[in-house]
Amino acid sequence: MKDERDNILQIKKVNKEFTIEGNTLQILKDINLDIKDGEFVSIVGASGCGKSTLLKMIIGLHSITGGEIVVAEGKNGNSATRIGIAFQEARLLPWFTVFENIEFGITKALSKAERKEQVERLIELVGLKGFEKAYPRQLSGGMQQRVSIARALVADPDILLLDEPFGALDALTRINMQNEILEIWKKKKKTMILVTHDIDEAIFLSDKIVVLSSRPGEIKRIVEVKDSRPRDRSSSNFVYVKKKIFKEFFDETDIDVEYYI
Amino acid sequence: MVKKYVGKPAKRIIEFIIGILAPLILLLIWQLAADNGWMNKSVLPSVKKVVETGIKITASGKLPGHLGASFERVLIGFAIGAGLGLILGILMGLSPFLHKFLSSLVNLLRPVPMIAWIPIFILWFGIGEITKVFVIALGSFWPVLLNTISGIKSVDTKLLEVTKVLNKNKITVLTKVILPGAIPSIFTGIRLGIGAAWSCVVAAEMIAATRGVGFMITYARETAKPGEVFVGVIIIGVIGLLIDLVVRRIEKRLLKWNTEPKS
Ligand SMILES: Nc1ncnc2c1ncn2[C@@H]1O[C@H](COP(=O)(O)OP(=O)(O)O)[C@@H](O)[C@H]1O
Ligand SMILES: [Mg+2]
């Protein structure tokens, strides 16, 4: 069952320390993770264990204290692998409308008509038609989060980092968005790295679930899910995997690195 | 929804009445004081007398002439002061070095009252227009400078991270993120700056001028025309109020994203 795809991202022995007022705090310890092109990977862990920090290191917003993160060379004629992110908070520009905020995500030089077409396509995709001219403060938290995802998608990145993107959504919208993300992933064959604290969500979407421990954040276990999609949340294997992951959080002694189903 | 439609204009009218109540009461007390001779007529003319004087000197062109002179000075002085305040404020807000380099100087000069500068400017530039424009420029410079600096510095670092991730260049970051974020604060500075300019012009004209509202008031007092003194003072207040209203309007337009009601 060896996966022959190329690694698009390799996290090698990565450590992260923050120094606050002279105190050095180890946040992440010895993180090793290979992510294949087109893979859907979820990272689960308690709040504060360093999930956002890991994503920020991948995209270059945080320095790496030790180890290295290797990003593969670009494909399809791009010089580099492009990484996009939807932050944990929507982080929209309050003075831009929905349309302008998504347009702000475009990184290529495009004509005005092309920009318009791309933005409209994404507005449709995230279900915000009719809200083009609304300002962020006129939107609910969940709608803002969708604008943020659209802004990340409009640049068509090779790797998309999603930091708890559905946290602000109600249960129904959440499931809708999960289905939509799955569609985008299938259609575009993007590599996706999703941070979440929703284990159901992780199992529903991912090829691989990385379970992080707390203080310092270490990889406790990597769980692979091989069921075909769309997955039935009540299937026996789904529930089985869920139990496995739950066990990780309440049984700190188990330190197996990999677990195959 | 229906209730809201009925309620809104009524609420506005009530708010308007509450708003003008205090000035009306003051006017009433004033009229009572004049009618009953609580104060000497040469010190406190009646409301009627002041209104008549106001109409008379407006019709004769005297008041518009003085107002025009003051306005011109305010416009030039404010444009210079606010312009420089804005530019230096942006630079000091963006450059920590420049901020460190200049902030002690700013903190040293800023508390000096405008009145204290006037003799110095007269020494340097004489009693001409330059002195008055300089006083106004300096008066509007400080609030614009300080509020621009604080607006630029309070930029949301989380939004800056967004621009970094999206590979935006410095000009885009400045024009699309830093400046729009600073605009509410800059507008506060501009409102305070225009107010300061308007008070400075009157102060400067009282000390050294042959035209302008400030001069009109001083001259009327010297020639024992209390009616004109009061017209002058009231018109200064009214115009200050109108300027503030206009600037607020513009601000509301520009800051639609911040003021439009939530859906
Ligand atoms: N810029 C920073 N400076 C200092 N400490 C930080 C910084 N960013 C995050 N931390 C700390 O690192 C830890 C992990 O944060 P984070 O990655 O946001 O956690 P998670 O996303 O898993 O909830 C937290 O304890 C947080 O306080
Ligand atoms: Mg987080």
PDB file of all heavy atoms in Angstrom, chain A residues 51-52 88 163-164 195, ligand 2:
ATOM      1  N   LYS A  51      -0.994  24.419  16.823  1.00  0.00           N
ATOM      2  CA  LYS A  51      -1.483  24.103  15.477  1.00  0.00           C
ATOM      3  C   LYS A  51      -1.355  25.314  14.550  1.00  0.00           C
ATOM      4  O   LYS A  51      -0.821  25.205  13.443  1.00  0.00           O
ATOM      5  CB  LYS A  51      -2.957  23.653  15.541  1.00  0.00           C
ATOM      6  CG  LYS A  51      -3.197  22.475  16.471  1.00  0.00           C
ATOM      7  CD  LYS A  51      -4.640  22.018  16.470  1.00  0.00           C
ATOM      8  CE  LYS A  51      -5.638  23.037  16.997  1.00  0.00           C
ATOM      9  NZ  LYS A  51      -5.494  23.344  18.427  1.00  0.00           N
ATOM     10  N   SER A  52      -1.840  26.475  15.021  1.00  0.00           N
ATOM     11  CA  SER A  52      -1.739  27.684  14.189  1.00  0.00           C
ATOM     12  C   SER A  52      -0.276  28.038  13.943  1.00  0.00           C
ATOM     13  O   SER A  52       0.097  28.460  12.846  1.00  0.00           O
ATOM     14  CB  SER A  52      -2.437  28.852  14.872  1.00  0.00           C
ATOM     15  OG  SER A  52      -3.813  28.596  15.003  1.00  0.00           O
ATOM     16  N   GLN A  88      -7.318  31.535  11.180  1.00  0.00           N
ATOM     17  CA  GLN A  88      -8.315  31.145  12.173  1.00  0.00           C
ATOM     18  C   GLN A  88      -9.400  32.225  12.306  1.00  0.00           C
ATOM     19  O   GLN A  88     -10.575  31.932  12.429  1.00  0.00           O
ATOM     20  CB  GLN A  88      -7.630  30.897  13.514  1.00  0.00           C
ATOM     21  CG  GLN A  88      -8.532  30.256  14.540  1.00  0.00           C
ATOM     22  CD  GLN A  88      -7.744  29.704  15.719  1.00  0.00           C
ATOM     23  OE1 GLN A  88      -6.527  29.705  15.742  1.00  0.00           O
ATOM     24  NE2 GLN A  88      -8.454  29.242  16.723  1.00  0.00           N
ATOM     25  N   ASP A 163      -7.088  27.055   8.798  1.00  0.00           N
ATOM     26  CA  ASP A 163      -6.951  27.067  10.256  1.00  0.00           C
ATOM     27  C   ASP A 163      -8.328  27.180  10.917  1.00  0.00           C
ATOM     28  O   ASP A 163      -8.883  28.268  11.010  1.00  0.00           O
ATOM     29  CB  ASP A 163      -6.050  28.230  10.683  1.00  0.00           C
ATOM     30  CG  ASP A 163      -5.554  28.057  12.105  1.00  0.00           C
ATOM     31  OD1 ASP A 163      -6.068  27.166  12.815  1.00  0.00           O
ATOM     32  OD2 ASP A 163      -4.652  28.812  12.512  1.00  0.00           O
ATOM     33  N   GLU A 164      -8.840  26.086  11.347  1.00  0.00           N
ATOM     34  CA  GLU A 164     -10.177  26.022  11.958  1.00  0.00           C
ATOM     35  C   GLU A 164     -11.182  26.897  11.212  1.00  0.00           C
ATOM     36  O   GLU A 164     -11.811  27.778  11.800  1.00  0.00           O
ATOM     37  CB  GLU A 164     -10.118  26.435  13.428  1.00  0.00           C
ATOM     38  CG  GLU A 164      -9.161  25.558  14.225  1.00  0.00           C
ATOM     39  CD  GLU A 164      -9.319  25.747  15.731  1.00  0.00           C
ATOM     40  OE1 GLU A 164     -10.418  26.083  16.167  1.00  0.00           O
ATOM     41  OE2 GLU A 164      -8.336  25.524  16.447  1.00  0.00           O
ATOM     42  N   VAL A 195      -6.485  22.485  10.025  1.00  0.00           N
ATOM     43  CA  VAL A 195      -6.405  22.430  11.485  1.00  0.00           C
ATOM     44  C   VAL A 195      -7.825  22.445  12.024  1.00  0.00           C
ATOM     45  O   VAL A 195      -8.647  23.240  11.583  1.00  0.00           O
ATOM     46  CB  VAL A 195      -5.624  23.641  12.026  1.00  0.00           C
ATOM     47  CG1 VAL A 195      -5.902  23.847  13.509  1.00  0.00           C
ATOM     48  CG2 VAL A 195      -4.134  23.455  11.798  1.00  0.00           C
TER      49      VAL A 195
HETATM   50 MG    MG C   2      -5.099  28.164  16.512  1.00  0.00          MG
END
